[in-house]
Amino acid sequence: MNLDEALARLEAAGDAERAAGAAAYHKAPRRYLGVTVPVVTELAQGWRADLDVEGRVALAAALWESDIHEARIAAAKLLTQAR
């Protein structure tokens, strides 16, 4: 999984109306895709399972740097320790 593929998956799951609401609520000057947290969680879990630690860290860093709200949530979820 690379950054372009991850962002494409997030964008495909997005909802423009939800994104507009999130942007108005958060008021942070970044891009919002309108993806729900459960969907972000599901995507991140799949990526986590497919990547080794170095791959997860690299993807998380790239997602964070994209400055897209849902990508940042996914980045944090990639780095969450499995229980």
Side-chain angles (χ1 to χ4, degrees):
M1 176 65 51
N2 65 41
L3 177 62
D4 292 334
E5 293 170 337
L7 290 178
R9 300 276 311 273
L10 286 167
E11 289 173 352
D15 176 279
E17 188 173 321
R18 181 179 284 277
Y25 176 79
H26 292 287
K27 297 180 179 80
R30 68 175 45 100
R31 187 171 168 211
Y32 296 85
L33 302 175
V35 183
T36 63
V37 172
V39 172
V40 173
T41 299
E42 183 180 327
L43 289 170
Q45 286 174 342
W47 301 336
R48 213 177 177 301
D50 292 341
L51 296 168
D52 61 9
V53 173
E54 288 179 9
R56 288 193 301 261
V57 171
L59 181 57
L63 287 167
W64 189 267
E65 289 297 318
S66 73
D67 201 30
I68 297 171
H69 179 75
E70 294 84 351
R72 286 185 159 198
I73 293 170
K77 289 182 176 292
L78 279 171
L79 299 178
T80 301
Q81 179 66 29
R83 292 185 179 107

